[in-house]
Every structure is written in C-alpha cells, then in structure tokens.
Amino acid sequence: MDELIDAAAAPYRNAGRFPWHFARGKLAHDPIFAELLTRGLIPDGAHVLDLGCGLGLLSSWLTAAQDLWRRAAWPAAWPKPPRLASYHGIEWVGREATRACEALKAGIVTCGDIRTSAFGAANVVAIFDVLHYIDCASQDGVLERVHEALTPRGGLLLLRIGDAAAGWRFQVTRLVDVLMTSIRRARWQRVHCRPLASWLARLDALGFDVAVAPMSDGTPFANVLLVARLPAADARSVVDGRRTTSSNT
Ligand SMILES: C[S@@+](CC[C@H](N)C(=O)[O-])C[C@H]1O[C@@H](n2cnc3c(N)ncnc32)[C@H](O)[C@@H]1O
C-alpha cells in the first residue's frame, strides 16, 4: 500500500511541493482510493470521466496500480487493478487543473464548470465530494447529463456524497468542508447537501441500480459511496418498462 501511495503521488513533484504533499496525504488517508481497488469497482478498459477532479488523483492512482501489477508488486489478496483506456477530468479551479496537467499529462484535466462543460463519451463517471458545491437544481442537471453520457452503452457512476441525515457525523463533515474550502478560496463557501434517501430517489428515477457503501472508515465523516449502474439502453427497455429513456424520468 505504501509503495502504491508513493508511486501515485510521485508525479505531483513536477507540480510543486504542496501538490505532492497534498496528494500523498489524500491518497493515504481517504479510504475511497483503496476501496475502489479492493472492491474491484472500476472495470478493465474503463473510459473514465472525473467531474470536479481536483488534481486528478484518481488517474494517477489507477495508473500506479497498473504499473505495480505489471511489475508483480501487487498485493496477492487484491483483485487485478483495472487498465485505464482513457481518463478525462473536469475541474473548476484553473490552478488545480494546471497542476494536474503538469504532474500527469497535458490536457488530461480541463478547466471548466461541470454544470456546462461537455461530458463526451465515458463508461465510468466519478464524482467524489463535488455535487454539494452546486445548488440542487444544478446537481439534478449534472446527474441527467451523466445519465445521457452513459447511455446507450450503459456504465457506472461512482458518486460520493455526505449524507445530510447522518446526524453529528454529517455536521462534522460539513463544518470541516466549509472551513477548509472557504480558507483555500478566501471566500465563504456555501454547500447544498441532501440526505442519502434523496440521492437514491433521484438516481432511481433516472434508471440507475444503486448499491450503497459507507466510505468514511477511519474518519469522523458521514461520506457514502453510491455505486450506481446503468444498464445499456436496449437491456433497460426489456428489464423495466418504467425506465426506457431519460426523457420520461
Ligand atoms: C473536495 S474536492 C474533491 C476533488 C476530487 N474529486 C477528489 O476526490 O480528489 C471538490 C472539487 O470539486 C471542484 N468543483 C466544485 N464545483 C465545481 C464545478 N461546478 N465544476 C467543476 N469542478 C467543481 C472543486 O474545485 C474541487 O476541486
């Protein structure tokens, strides 16, 4: 695990000391990165679209995992890591997008607003800790466009949210998030949080089959990973007449 964290953080040295330290800390302490691999959540040959990707850590993590696998340095108990067919990140803050490109590859992350940027084709969409920064109508708009991007071949949405119904753990999550983001941006950051049940209802209405995985191990937070699978369009119309197209949801 330490070798994987070091390898995934190493490219960020090219972007400066802060991005490198940040990458190491986040990869080591945020449980989602290891869970994606130990649960084998991302399929081989994935075309990944990472919305609100920050430094593009997911790309570096999966690439480093593949390298370790090829060098036979992979933990025997973990499933084979996925090979990335493509990765595209969209990030609002220009400085983060620039650092990601300096560290990883020119153009791998584009600076843009996920409310309006074109998504292109993908079969895996990752949105980790992002949607609460935009209002609820915009959240729904993004989810509808993710649904369109995954149609007609079907695919996977990995969406991590803070569960607004999770009591004091949610209050801690929100407080830390608002304080950290407001300090970094030098302006007060508003957030728009929803209870888990509301996210599930929204995804269900769009035709996703959703599994819920707590994603706060070792932290005081109320984060939940929604593993939302969208069957291919032709399979959907057979499986469930209620969910034939995005236009009737
Ligand atoms: C908490 S960070 C998570 C970064 C990344 N998903 C990760 O897990 O490492 C949230 C990111 O979402 C970005 N973001 C917020 N609103 C956005 C928007 N409307 N369009 C694109 N990115 C956005 C922020 O700039 C920030 O980098």
Side-chain angles (χ1 to χ4, degrees), residues 8-243:
Y12 291 93
R13 283 180 188 273
N14 296 334
R17 284 190 70 77
F18 176 77
W20 176 58
H21 282 294
F22 179 85
R24 288 201 89 248
K26 176 107 178 173
L27 293 170
H29 297 294
D30 186 338
I32 197 168
F33 293 101
E35 293 271 344
L36 290 173
L37 294 173
T38 55
R39 291 174 186 237
L41 287 175
I42 297 183
D44 205 38
H47 292 274
V48 173
L49 172 66
D50 192 354
L51 299 181
C53 64
L55 292 172
L57 294 176
L58 178 59
S59 167
S60 196
W61 182 249
L62 296 178
T63 303
Q66 262 296 312
D67 287 348
L68 257 63
W69 166 265
R70 277 196 236 103
R71 290 193 282 115
W74 192 244
W78 289 18
K80 180 178 185 284
R83 187 183 42 83
L84 265 186
S86 68
Y87 172 94
H88 177 219
I90 300 176
E91 168 55 41
W92 170 260
V93 176
R95 190 181 49 183
E96 299 285 286
T98 302
R99 284 171 166 169
C101 294
E102 284 169 356
L104 304 177
K105 193 172 71 174
I108 193 166
V109 170
T110 50
C111 180
D113 185 340
I114 60 170
R115 290 170 291 191
T116 50
S117 297
F119 287 171
N123 64 353
V124 176
V125 178
I127 314 178
F128 300 155
D129 314 329
V130 177
L131 287 187
H132 58 296
Y133 294 125
I134 60 180
D135 63 52
C136 289
S138 301
Q139 293 170 2
D140 288 347
V142 168
L143 291 179
E144 276 160 28
R145 291 198 306 120
V146 166
H147 176 268
E148 276 166 29
L150 294 176
T151 299
R153 284 184 303 163
L156 177 68
L157 165 64
L158 297 167
L159 172 63
R160 186 162 72 172
I161 52 97
D163 176 8
W168 70 267
R169 290 175 76 90
F170 171 69
Q171 299 305 336
V172 172
T173 311
R174 185 165 60 177
L175 187 67
V176 172
D177 186 15
V178 168
L179 284 178
M180 297 300 290
T181 313
S182 300
I183 290 167
R184 273 175 42 210
R185 303 271 158 80
R187 66 172 167 79
W188 191 248
Q189 175 71 53
R190 283 194 67 197
V191 288
H192 309 268
C193 303
R194 296 156 86 152
L196 176 58
S198 165
W199 291 110
L200 292 176
R202 197 62 215 119
L203 291 170
D204 182 63
L206 285 169
F208 286 95
D209 294 323
V210 186
V212 178
M215 202 49 62
S216 305
D217 257 15
T219 76
F221 304 134
N223 291 327
V224 176
L225 179 67
L226 305 179
V227 181
R229 295 181 194 279
L230 187 71
D234 48 355
R236 236 174 297 154
S237 56
V238 174
V239 169
D240 186 347
R242 185 167 60 91
R243 302 164 168 171

